Amino acid sequence: MSDKRDFLSITDISADETRRLIDRAIEMKAAPPGSVLPLAGKRIVLLFEKPSLRTRVSFQIGIAELGGYSLYMSPEEVGLGRREPVSDVARVLSGYVDGVIARVNSHDSLAGLAKYGSVPVINALSDVEHPCQTMADLLTIAETHGKTDGVNVAYIGDGNNVARSLCLGAPAVGMNFSIAAPHGYQLEESVFDAASARGVRADHGPRPTVHPLVRPEDAVVDANVVYTDVWTSMGDEAETEQRLAAFQGYTVDDALMKKAAPGACFMHDMPAHYGEEVAPGMLEHPQSVAYRQAHNRLHAQKAVLEFLLG
């Protein structure tokens, strides 16, 4: 289809579309499962090179609730770029299915699937971005605080794929974003520039700000959301010891939460490495919305699926 839309980056949807998808996800969450079937007759493949709990379950259930059919392909079956060229995989799958959801080692594989395939491709995680996680994050913040405009988000930890998508996504719905990371683990300057350019507030308030910081204590000042992720992402295991040393002092615990704004919520995309980026028990902390955040993957992704394939 010549007019197909891919969702490889959170920037593939505009600020206005992001807000509309959040609103649509809230509507879908309130509706009985199966009450709308925009994917009736649609066939979607889940092409996964990396293991998953939340991503696989939420996508497969979401597709079924929207009336579609999904097929999961494991890392052993995929072999992108090894067993077959990405271009061949993309062209073959385009004759079988109506959409591809890919969880890949390299973002280049996603780009290839989108370039050579004729059906929409959705990024279910790459080494560069995790846009579906960000959609669930924005939905969770909107529910928790009743708005997105003017909300201050503080991300503590590695400038990884999750941080990159959140940095690019938050300003588009009016949020201010700060990240505290050690030197050498910060997001690229180009990401901050792009995030600032996407900043807009629907309430016509001050333009959202984006700040790279070093100290977690500085980032959480006036923060309405304190967010963290693992220090060592999948694919970075060889750097584990180096990262454990670099991120000492970046653990989110009750003491750090007390320095945030009153009513601040704690978020983590999971899985968590207790005793590293997060203190034991933090996901059950009174201010934690981590489990709601995980459950919202289902509803946010249903809105994305309807938008791209319905």
Side-chain angles (χ1 to χ4, degrees):
M1 58 183 76
S2 59
D3 59 345
K4 67 132 175 170
R5 295 274 304 265
D6 299 307
F7 190 47
L8 309 189
S9 166
I10 196 70
T11 61
D12 287 333
I13 55 175
S14 68
D16 181 63
E17 288 171 336
T18 305
R19 289 181 184 272
R20 287 194 281 117
L21 283 173
I22 293 171
D23 290 340
R24 182 58 177 148
I26 292 171
E27 293 174 354
M28 294 179 119
K29 185 174 181 177
S35 58
V36 291
L37 303 172
L39 299 189
K42 301 285 187 180
R43 303 152 299 179
I44 303 169
V45 66
L46 280 73
L47 202 65
F48 279 34
E49 290 188 303
K50 291 187 174 185
S52 168
L53 168 61
R54 284 152 293 277
T55 301
R56 179 180 176 181
V57 174
S58 57
F59 264 120
Q60 289 201 276
I61 290 178
I63 291 165
E65 289 185 351
L66 296 177
Y69 172 81
S70 64
L71 172 68
Y72 174 79
M73 296 187 68
S74 68
E76 293 75 19
E77 297 169 304
V78 178
L80 284 175
R82 301 189 311 277
R83 185 170 176 270
E84 291 189 70
V86 173
S87 56
D88 287 356
V89 173
R91 291 181 176 116
V92 169
L93 287 176
S94 294
Y96 294 143
V97 301
D98 300 290
V100 175
I101 297 169
R103 186 175 175 91
V104 297
N105 294 316
S106 170
H107 198 83
D108 290 342
S109 296
L110 273 176
L113 290 170
K115 177 180 178 180
Y116 296 106
S118 59
V119 299
V121 176
I122 296 174
N123 181 358
L125 179 140
S126 76
D127 56 330
V128 174
E129 280 202 50
H130 199 355
C132 291
Q133 178 65 57
T134 290
M135 291 305 301
D137 297 340
L138 301 182
L139 167 60
T140 304
I141 295 169
E143 286 183 330
T144 303
H145 293 286
K147 63 176 184 176
T148 58
D149 285 302
V151 172
N152 300 321
V153 179
Y155 182 99
I156 312 299
D158 186 30
N160 59 14
N161 48 4
V162 171
R164 191 173 290 106
S165 287
L166 189 60
C167 179
L168 291 166
V173 293
M175 298 182 192
N176 303 307
F177 179 87
S178 297
I179 175 172
H183 295 295
Y185 295 94
Q186 188 57 265
L187 289 169
E188 306 86 355
E189 186 175 348
S190 60
V191 173
F192 295 117
D193 291 342
S196 295
R198 283 169 54 80
V200 61
R201 284 184 60 166
D203 63 3
H204 306 297
R207 190 177 183 86
T209 59
V210 180
H211 293 298
L213 301 169
V214 175
R215 287 167 34 91
E217 294 80 6
D218 295 335
V220 300
V221 173
D222 296 326
N224 308 112
V225 178
V226 178
Y227 194 123
T228 192
D229 188 19
V230 295
W231 295 341
T232 306
S233 300
M234 287 184 288
D236 294 329
E237 289 83 2
E239 303 175 12
T240 297
E241 293 304 317
Q242 173 186 334
R243 286 171 173 270
L244 287 176
F247 283 97
Q248 289 304 306
Y250 284 80
T251 299
V252 177
D253 54 18
D254 184 63
L256 189 64
M257 289 300 300
K258 283 183 168 62
K259 297 177 181 179
C265 66
F266 167 70
M267 300 180 72
H268 192 305
D269 58 295
M270 303 172 76
H273 292 175
Y274 296 104
E276 294 182 17
E277 81 279 357
V278 64
M282 274 303 296
L283 268 63
E284 294 82 30
H285 190 279
Q287 291 169 267
S288 171
V289 294
Y291 294 109
R292 177 195 288 188
Q293 179 185 359
H295 297 154
N296 275 341
R297 291 289 300 278
L298 171 64
H299 311 293
Q301 289 163 187
K302 285 169 68 174
V304 170
L305 286 165
E306 180 188 58
F307 177 72
L308 294 177
L309 294 165

